[in-house]
């Protein structure tokens, strides 16, 4: 680098430098306006869902005959991490989870392979299994949700208008997908009284066949002429309710209308489909998903403009309300972080002006917008979006990117005070500092490298941190050697014979005191080194005292209230309980609005939300408070009220999370081959849970057995009557729930037709024995004549993981309790239970604690690469192994300040803190390089080792402390952010203590190795 001086070139081509400054600033402004905006960074959810139904099957039969076969086939999928299945009644849902280290570009190919596997296995499943339903878009985020309400409008009328709105919104650019929520399936019921049917001496089967034939579409052929192909279209399919009523039937030689014999009505399906409510009113939800990489704020404006243009088409009484407004949340989040960015810039500028003076400070100040603007250009070119991680990374960079400029300005000022002209001072600053600064910059970047090289969804979530920091720091080095000399040559002036200011006198006095202390420390080397080692050991021992929190809760105003009733609860019962909860929430001034999902969970309106499985006994409320204070008050009140209001329900209240999702704060799973034994072990785990007073709502995801009615057909009697199990089951289905016999078509709606024999059998188990069953001769006999009826129990839900029965025991903790710390302590306590487990049975941590452990392991994997890279850079820069080791030994000094600061501020240890501690090591080593390089320079100039140590430390004290102070104060705006606060606090405390210790301990290590003594 001494052969080609970049500063010299820049000073001889100032116009080029000015041109690029202006151009980069303009392009950076353009990039900032065009770059995508999001609340959270994207990360790939490597989960796919396969579902199937088998009407009439028990959960055990479904699990053995369908779930087991599909899972076993899917187990051969390359890149598979684990499968998890949920069997509820005659329905199964299989979650296929890929390994976190599988590259993004291979995920789609994996889902295609799963489709092939399921299709290959499907013919081998029992007849009657319906499906498969495959969802390989499980990670779609519906950030914008609208509610269409109207008290005077039916569900079908609201659906029709919602469908129109959907088609209008699909024309908006970057709309990926739109789903309607709360839609009720219309059903055409053909109901006939069983006594009336008997009086006509006609079997229900003949009516079923007639309805099926009349509603089935069949090809009528094609006439191939010399010039055209002419298709034949046979009319006569049902196209209205009246056409069904008018269907003719031959009965005892007479032709009768179906409407004369049966009641034909169009109604909603029974039981109802999952329901959606907004502020207690029945509604149709319109959930909108956005294309990845689009600008969320501009997307929201485009949606609103399109809705405003359509509002005039809505009739009076229909109203559109916004349930979820992700673009608004993103706008507020980006505005908050942008404000923090400008605050950080202002703080760094103030530090520069106070410490360097107005002119020198102005040189540093003018390099900041150049670097920030160029960083925006790089982010836009690389496809990075603006979100809490990338903007936070930029704020972190601000305190670091001025370091090189400060060093160059300091060196230029020093040399100009010694009599050099501005050109010579600038070129000397480049010659003496450029390579050490570059090495320091590369090492600082290397400190963030494990984040970039780590695998998994958590690392993917923070992936942009390294890219933005590395980009900003490398650009800052180029700015310091190209822009700072040019600006410095114009702005820095040395006044001759000027009186010292008070600030200069204070600085000199402080340096004199520090020099005295340094001489004392050099004379008491053993005491200083032993004290430092003791402080480091104490810090290591104190680490377990720090509470652990993987990721903090979000500061968004939503409260998620999940309520699960006993497994046998019907959707109608759940709906009635929702009305009770509505009465508690309605009119509360602290609530902006709330929405309810009955029979299913809320859609994924934020990436860190895990959707719930659809089931009749479940409801989920999303309550949006007016402020954070209102949210916290509501949470406390509802926690007590809901437990009293719904004593038989399992209630889970949570805030939205800032990291990868976890349904409960405390989760442990029990797995093994035998279901009964797994349940026993799960009960032992629950007993351990109960020893912690902070854990509440202790339960498991495998509830008690649900009641069933067993109809045991007597084969001999059934054969005599001309019936079998299938015909009896079909007959019972027709009388109790109805049998689907066909479809009819209205517009784009396919409406099922159900035939049902009316009577008092529905919802009344006491009369089951007397239900008449039609025999082969057409006569009727009571069900009890051919079958034995008894009450029984069966597993209502079966959860499996990797094909083994698995029960997850979970519990809640108050918001003030660090769940991960408690989970880690609980995990140790469960070792006593693990010691007694039979072979093949396991108890494993689940949820957030498991994700934290996986993320930490993934983060450790690239650490050797980081260490090797730092050592390589140090060797090229310092060229001596002892000097390289000295610089490395200063890195752990940061832990002393980190532990002390976190304990004093009661800050929890989380993933972001660990990232901060790792990256802190690069900053500390960077300071060590600058100091060691200066000592070596002074020794080459002829100073004794002792003199070189003292003079270099005093000379580098100011720039090292200034850069550390700029980095620390630049973190201040992040300390108000729930996501960044722990890292900012830990980083600031660690850097402050490590910088002070480096300026004392490193000179002593150097003196000890080289046996430096004062003359």
């Amino acid at each position: 680098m001494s052969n080609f001086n970049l500063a010299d070139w820049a000073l001889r081509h100032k116009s080029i430098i000015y041109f690029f400054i202006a151009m980069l600033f303009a392009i950076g402004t353009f990039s900032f306006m065009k770059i995508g905006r999001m609340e959270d960074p994207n990360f790939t959810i490597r989960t796919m869902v396969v579902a199937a139904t088998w009407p009439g099957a028990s959960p055990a039969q479904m699990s053995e005959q369908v779930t087991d076969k599909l899972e076993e086939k899917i187990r051969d999928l390359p890149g598979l991490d684990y499968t998890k299945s949920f069997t509820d009644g005659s329905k199964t849902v299989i979650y296929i989870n890929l390994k976190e280290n599988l590259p993004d570009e291979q995920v789609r190919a994996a889902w295609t392979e799963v489709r092939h596997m399921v299709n290959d296995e499907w013919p081998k499943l029992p007849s009657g299994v319906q499906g498969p339903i495959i969802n390989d878009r499980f990670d779609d985020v519906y950030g914008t949700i609208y509610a269409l309400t109207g008290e005077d409008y039916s569900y079908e009328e609201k659906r029709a208008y919602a469908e129109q709105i959907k088609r209008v919104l699909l024309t908006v650019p970057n709309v990926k997908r739109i789903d309607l929520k709360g839609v009720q399936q219309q059903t055409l019921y053909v109901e006939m009284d069983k006594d009336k049917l008997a009086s006509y001496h006609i079997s229900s089967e003949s009516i079923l066949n007639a309805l099926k034939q009349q509603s089935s579409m069949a090809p009528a052929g094609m006439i191939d002429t010399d010039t055209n192909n002419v298709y034949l279209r046979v009319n006569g399919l049902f196209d209205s309710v009246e056409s069904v009523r008018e269907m003719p039937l031959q009965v005892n030689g007479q032709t009768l209308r179906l409407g004369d014999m049966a009641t034909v009505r169009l109604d909603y399906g029974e039981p109802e489909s999952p329901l959606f409510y907004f502020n207690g009113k029945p509604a149709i939800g319109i959930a909108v998903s956005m294309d990845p990489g689009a600008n969320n704020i501009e997307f929201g404006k485009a949606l609103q403009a399109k809705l405003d243009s359509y509002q005039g088409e809505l009739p009076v009484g229909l109203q559109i309300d916004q349930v979820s407004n992700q673009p608004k949340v993103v706008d507020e989040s980006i505005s908050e972080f942008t404000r923090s960015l400008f605050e950080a810039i202002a703080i760094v500028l103030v530090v520069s002006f106070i410490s360097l003076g107005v002119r020198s400070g102005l040189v540093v100040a003018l390099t900041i917008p150049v670097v920030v603007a160029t960083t925006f250009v790089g982010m836009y070119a690389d496809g990075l979006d603006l979100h809490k991680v990338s903007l936070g990374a930029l704020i972190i960079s601000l305190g670091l990117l001025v370091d090189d400029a400060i060093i160059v300005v300091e060196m230029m000022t020093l040399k100009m005070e010694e009599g050099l002209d501005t050109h010579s001072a600038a070129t000397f600053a480049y010659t003496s500092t450029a390579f050490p600064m570059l090495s320091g910059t590369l090492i600082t970047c290397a400190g963030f490298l494990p984040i970039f090289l780590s695998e998994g969804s958590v690392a993917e979530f923070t992936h942009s941190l390294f890219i933005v920091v590395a980009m900003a720091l490398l650009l800052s080095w180029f700015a310091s050697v190209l822009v700072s000399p040019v600006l410095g040559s114009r702005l820095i002036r040395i006044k001759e014979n000027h009186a010292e200011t008070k600030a200069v006198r204070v600085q000199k006095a402080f340096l004199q005191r520090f020099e005295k202390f340094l001489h004392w420390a050099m004379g008491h080397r053993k005491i200083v080194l032993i004290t430092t080692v003791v402080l480091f050991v104490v810090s290591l021992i104190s680490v377990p005292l720090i509470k652990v929190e993987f990721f903090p809760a979000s500061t968004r105003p939503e409260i998620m209230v999940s309520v699960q009733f006993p497994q046998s609860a019907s959707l109608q019962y759940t709906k009635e309980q929702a009305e009770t909860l509505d009465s508690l929430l309605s009119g509360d001034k602290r609530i902006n609005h709330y929405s309810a999902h009955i029979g299913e969970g809320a859609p994924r309106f934020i990436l860190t939300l895990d959707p719930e499985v659809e089931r009749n006994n479940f409801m989920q409320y999303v309550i949006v408070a007016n402020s954070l204070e209102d949210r916290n008050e509501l949470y406390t009140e509802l926690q007590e009220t809901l437990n009293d209001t719904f004593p038989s329900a399992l209630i889970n209240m949570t805030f939205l999370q800032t990291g990868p999702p976890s349904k409960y704060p405390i989760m442990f799973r029990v797995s093994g081959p035998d279901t009964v034994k797994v349940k026993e072990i799960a009960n032992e785990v629950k007993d351990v849970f109960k020893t912690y007073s902070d854990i509440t709502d202790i339960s498991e995801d495998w509830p008690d057995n649900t009641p069933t009615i067993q109809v045991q057909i007597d084969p001999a009697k059934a054969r005599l009557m001309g019936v079998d199990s299938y015909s009896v089951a079909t007959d019972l289905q027709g009388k109790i729930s109805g049998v689907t016999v066909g479809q009819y078509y209205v517009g784009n709606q396919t409406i099922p037709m159900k035939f049902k024999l009316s009577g008092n059998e529905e919802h009344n188990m006491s009369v089951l024995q007397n239900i008449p069953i039609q025999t082969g001769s057409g006569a009727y006999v009571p069900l009890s004549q051919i079958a034995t009826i008894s009450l029984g129990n069966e597993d209502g839900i079966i959860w499996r993981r990797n094909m083994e029965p698995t029960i997850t025991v979970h519990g809640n903790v108050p918001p003030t309790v660090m769940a991960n710390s408690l989970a880690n302590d609980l995990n140790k306590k469960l070792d006593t239970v693990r010691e007694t487990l039979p072979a093949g049975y396991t108890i494993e941590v689940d949820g957030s604690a498991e994700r934290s452990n996986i993320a930490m392991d993934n983060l450790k994997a690239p650490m050797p690469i980081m260490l090797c890279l730092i050592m390589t850079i140090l060797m090229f820069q310092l060229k001596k192994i002892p000097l390289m080791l000295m610089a490395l030994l200063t890195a752990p000094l940061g832990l002393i300040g980190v532990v002390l600061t976190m304990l004093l501020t009661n800050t929890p240890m989380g993933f972001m803190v660990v990232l901060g501690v790792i990256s802190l090591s690069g900053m500390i080593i960077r300071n060590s390089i600058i100091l060691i390089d200066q000592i070596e320079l002074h020794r080459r100039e002829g100073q004794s080792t002792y003199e070189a140590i003292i003079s270099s430390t005093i000379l580098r004290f100011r720039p090292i402390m200034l850069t550390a102070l700029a980095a620390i104060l630049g973190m201040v705006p992040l300390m108000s952010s729930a996501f960044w606060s722990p890292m900012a606090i830990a980083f600031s405390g660690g850097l402050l203590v490590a910088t002070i210790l480096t300026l004392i301990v490193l000179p002593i290590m150097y003196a000890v190795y080289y046996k430096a003594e004062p003359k």
Side-chain angles (χ1 to χ4, degrees), residues 9 99 148-149 233 267 282 477 740 743 842 896 909 944 962:
W9 181 89
K99 292 178 180 177
L148 183 64
T149 56
R233 307 294 186 200
D267 207 339
W477 181 85
T740 301
Q743 300 168 332
T842 60
I896 299 172
M909 176 76 73
S944 67
L962 279 180

Side-chain angles (χ1 to χ4, degrees), residues 295-548:
N295 188 317
N296 226 313
I297 299 172
E298 296 299 324
F299 180 69
K301 292 177 181 177
L303 286 176
Q304 191 58 49
K306 186 65 72 173
L307 266 185
D308 291 342
S309 67
Y310 180 77
Q311 285 283 1
E313 304 293 326
L314 284 178
V316 176
L318 274 183
Q319 181 177 340
I320 300 177
D321 293 286
Q322 188 127 25
V323 180
S324 176
N325 192 347
Q326 187 75 356
K328 181 183 176 183
V329 173
V330 170
D331 192 17
E332 292 173 351
S333 177
I334 296 295
S335 298
E336 179 186 348
F337 272 97
T338 304
R339 187 166 55 250
S340 298
L341 178 63
F342 286 113
E343 288 174 1
I345 291 174
I347 290 171
V348 173
L349 291 181
V350 169
V351 172
S352 302
F353 285 128
I354 291 176
S355 58
L356 299 174
V358 176
R359 286 182 170 273
S360 298
L362 193 58
V363 175
V364 175
L366 291 175
T367 60
I368 293 175
V370 176
V371 175
V372 172
T374 311
T375 303
F376 283 135
V377 175
M379 290 175 64
Y380 183 64
D382 196 39
L384 292 177
D385 297 322
L386 285 180
H387 43 66
K388 66 173 59 168
V389 174
S390 60
L391 276 171
L394 201 56
I395 295 172
I396 291 172
S397 304
L398 275 175
L400 305 176
L401 62 83
V402 297
D403 293 359
D404 292 342
I406 289 175
I407 292 171
V408 169
V409 169
E410 281 269 306
M411 185 58 70
M412 282 184 66
T413 303
L414 178 64
K415 290 304 173 182
M416 289 171 69
E417 287 175 349
E418 292 178 359
L420 294 182
D421 59 81
T422 54
H423 189 103
S424 301
T427 54
F428 179 84
Y430 176 85
T431 304
S432 60
T433 63
F435 200 16
M437 286 193 311
L438 179 59
S439 299
T441 298
L442 292 175
I443 286 175
T444 305
C445 294
F448 291 88
L449 188 61
I451 307 167
F452 181 74
L453 297 179
S454 183
E455 298 173 336
S457 58
V458 178
E460 198 175 341
F461 188 79
T462 55
H463 184 75
S464 59
L465 181 58
F466 167 79
I467 299 174
V468 175
V469 170
M471 199 182 295
L473 293 186
L474 290 172
L475 289 170
S476 74
W477 181 85
F478 282 102
S480 68
V481 298
L482 291 170
V483 178
S484 295
V486 172
L487 296 177
S489 67
R490 292 185 63 88
L491 295 173
I492 299 175
R493 296 290 181 267
I494 303 299
K495 296 180 181 179
E496 296 183 3
N497 302 321
H498 65 282
E500 289 185 347
T501 63
K502 184 177 180 181
V504 173
R505 290 196 298 271
V506 170
Q507 288 182 27
K508 283 188 174 181
F510 182 81
L511 283 175
Q512 288 173 359
R513 287 190 176 90
F514 177 73
E515 186 175 355
K516 288 182 180 179
F517 177 79
L518 187 60
H519 280 291
W520 178 88
M522 294 284 282
H524 299 80
R525 301 172 189 180
K526 287 185 180 180
I527 295 175
V528 174
L529 292 177
I530 291 172
T531 302
T532 304
V533 172
V534 170
L535 287 174
F536 179 71
V537 172
V538 171
S539 299
L540 283 177
I541 297 172
S542 303
V543 168
L545 300 177
I546 302 174
K547 295 179 179 179
V548 179

Side-chain angles (χ1 to χ4, degrees), residues 2 15 146 330 390 453 470 512 703 762 765 879 890 954:
S2 58
S15 296
Y146 301 100
V330 170
S390 60
L453 297 179
Q512 288 173 359
E762 191 175 7
M765 295 186 294
K879 300 178 179 63
T890 59
I954 299 302

Side-chain angles (χ1 to χ4, degrees), residues 44-51 77 93-98 104 106-116 118-119 132-142 176-177 179 289 604:
T44 304
I45 297 178
R46 295 169 171 82
T47 303
M48 181 182 186
V49 179
V50 176
L77 178 69
V93 179
I94 303 172
Y95 295 88
I96 300 105
N97 297 274
L98 301 177
D104 294 349
Q106 296 183 23
V107 172
R108 284 283 131 210
W111 297 155
T112 302
E113 181 68 17
V114 171
R115 285 179 177 272
H116 294 328
V118 172
N119 290 332
I133 302 168
I134 298 176
N135 180 9
D136 57 0
R137 297 289 180 181
F138 190 65
D139 57 347
D140 280 349
V141 178
Y142 298 92
K176 181 180 180 182
R177 181 174 173 177
D179 282 351
S289 175
R604 193 192 295 272

Side-chain angles (χ1 to χ4, degrees), residues 594-616:
Y594 65 91
S595 55
H597 301 265
I598 315 299
E600 64 179 357
R604 193 192 295 272
F605 62 88
I606 183 173
L607 188 60
T608 55
L609 176 70
D610 239 355
E612 290 280 352
V613 177
E614 182 180 319
R615 52 198 191 275
N616 291 336

Side-chain angles (χ1 to χ4, degrees), residues 809-837:
V809 181
H810 49 74
N812 278 318
V813 296
T816 54
V817 174
M818 300 298 172
N820 277 36
S821 291
L822 189 56
N824 291 336
D825 186 57
L826 186 59
N827 193 35
K828 295 176 183 176
K829 199 167 185 178
L830 284 170
D831 285 340
T832 55
V833 180
R834 291 188 180 99
E835 292 173 357
T836 62
L837 293 181

Side-chain angles (χ1 to χ4, degrees), residues 707-718:
T708 60
I709 298 176
Q710 304 292 332
V711 180
Q712 186 67 41
I713 303 294
D714 187 317
K717 292 180 179 179

